[in-house]
Amino acid sequence: MTETLFHAYTPLILWTSLGLFICRFLPQWLPRLFGRGLYWIGVPLELFALARQSQLGNFNNEIGLPLIVPIITVGTLLLGLMVVFLILWKFKDYYHDRASFILASVLGNTGFVGLAIAPFLINSDALGWAVLYSITHNVIGPYGFGVVVASYFSQSKATNSWWIQLREILTVPCLWAFPVGILTQKVQFPQIIESGLQESISVVIACAFLLTGIRLAQLHGWKSLKLAFLPAAIKVCVIPLLVGIATTWLLGLSGDRRLAMVLMSGMPSAFAGLILAEEYNLDRDLIASSIIISTLLLLIMLPLWMLVFG
């Protein structure tokens, strides 16, 4: 397991460290431009490439899988949002940027670490559950609910309205990129384009972690890290515990299927929250700090989830 985590974390450590190093040499305007480029071009290109190579149809041989996993995923998001709103009501004087707190606690994308370690921790029969959870969460979570939250809290009360939120959702490039990728799976592009699309996945991930490193280098001391402990604990500790209990008592899941849902719901926050923070000018310090803290917390929680829900 240690070796698996090492391989999963290598890109994060490498590119984040590079971002920490080069931050001092960059102009102030470049990180925001970099983040917006990932939002409008990089991540949609990555999702388009992933959709073209995904084999969702292969999951149909397991009865109920295409339906139950999205239900669990959406239920996890709603449960997490309820927990977060209760905590924000209690600690409203500490967290002034609610959108960043929500993104860091619930709506940060999962999958990078989760899909890297899942094949080593669960059997092949349950792997489809982890993959489908990751796809559903990333599309509905950060690029669905996440966009609504970021847009709502970034607008003034005078300019906020339901049609603005609808416009933001309809213009999210990631939500268009994934279905277009699915619909064009059988379309053969020239080999150079196909190769470029597959290479773009690793390039976008590297650029996202580079941006994370740049923002970490700009943190304002211990205060940013201290505020990140609560959203990171919600993401990696509280939500997977609730998912494990709910899937056991309400759905009767056990074994590797239950563990797959717990693991994917408890993966650390990744770069989607930071990209949304760049696009909507939110608290980048809180989200960047939460990525690091939640990643470190996973090392502690992962053996516990395997012991309790495996």
Side-chain angles (χ1 to χ4, degrees):
M1 184 173 65
T2 303
E3 183 180 355
T4 301
L5 287 175
F6 174 79
H7 288 298
Y9 283 161
T10 296
L12 184 150
I13 296 170
L14 175 64
W15 293 107
T16 302
S17 300
L18 180 60
L20 287 166
F21 175 74
I22 67 173
C23 175
R24 69 191 72 177
F25 307 110
L26 301 176
Q28 292 292 322
W29 52 266
L30 186 58
R32 175 164 168 75
L33 180 63
F34 196 22
R36 298 201 70 189
L38 285 170
Y39 178 80
W40 288 103
I41 301 173
V43 176
L45 187 63
E46 177 195 21
L47 287 176
F48 177 77
L50 286 171
R52 282 182 55 80
Q53 72 178 25
S54 67
Q55 301 296 325
L56 297 181
N58 292 344
F59 300 154
N60 289 330
N61 57 4
E62 187 172 348
I63 298 175
L65 174 59
L67 180 62
I68 192 172
V69 175
I71 290 175
I72 293 174
T73 308
V74 175
T76 300
L77 290 171
L78 295 176
L79 183 63
L81 289 173
M82 286 190 292
V83 171
V84 165
F85 281 120
L86 287 173
I87 291 176
L88 282 175
W89 176 75
K90 181 70 175 178
F91 296 95
K92 56 186 176 183
D93 295 332
Y94 293 92
Y95 295 96
H96 301 291
D97 190 336
R98 296 192 174 191
S100 296
F101 188 94
I102 296 170
L103 289 173
S105 303
V106 182
L107 300 177
N109 60 317
T110 64
F112 167 69
V113 177
L115 293 183
I117 67 175
F120 298 91
L121 303 179
I122 59 178
N123 62 43
S124 57
D125 293 338
L127 187 58
W129 289 59
V131 174
L132 194 52
Y133 184 101
S134 176
I135 293 172
T136 307
H137 185 279
N138 286 345
V139 174
I140 297 178
Y143 301 113
F145 290 158
V147 170
V148 173
V149 168
S151 173
Y152 178 82
F153 285 102
S154 66
Q155 304 282 342
S156 65
K157 291 184 178 180
T159 59
N160 246 327
S161 63
W162 67 269
W163 66 267
I164 291 179
Q165 311 308 320
L166 179 61
R167 182 196 64 189
E168 293 294 328
I169 285 291
L170 293 178
T171 56
V172 174
C174 295
L175 293 184
W176 291 100
F178 190 81
V180 171
I182 292 291
L183 293 174
T184 60
Q185 279 185 333
K186 295 182 179 180
V187 177
Q188 293 296 320
F189 293 152
Q191 184 58 40
I192 188 172
I193 296 179
E194 293 284 1
S195 300
L197 284 173
Q198 299 315 310
E199 290 297 325
S200 71
I201 298 173
S202 57
V203 171
V204 170
I205 291 175
C207 290
F209 286 130
L210 189 68
L211 176 63
T212 302
I214 293 171
R215 287 308 184 187
L216 284 174
Q218 298 173 338
L219 293 179
H220 298 90
W222 167 246
K223 182 180 179 181
S224 299
L225 289 173
K226 182 172 67 174
L227 290 175
F229 273 97
L230 183 54
I234 294 171
K235 184 71 179 71
V236 181
C237 305
V238 177
I239 291 178
L241 176 62
L242 295 176
V243 168
I245 294 172
T247 53
T248 301
W249 288 357
L250 299 180
L251 300 178
L253 293 183
S254 61
D256 281 11
R257 294 177 178 178
R258 178 178 61 187
L259 180 60
M261 299 295 92
V262 172
L263 289 177
M264 296 308 294
S265 65
M267 285 298 108
S269 299
F271 46 78
L274 189 56
I275 291 173
L276 289 174
E278 298 290 352
E279 177 66 19
Y280 291 96
N281 200 25
L282 305 176
D283 187 347
R284 305 167 184 85
D285 288 1
L286 178 62
I287 295 179
S289 300
S290 297
I291 292 173
I292 296 301
I293 299 299
S294 62
T295 300
L296 295 175
L297 278 177
L298 177 68
L299 298 175
I300 301 172
M301 300 307 300
L302 189 57
L304 180 61
W305 298 142
M306 294 178 63
L307 177 65
V308 175
F309 296 113

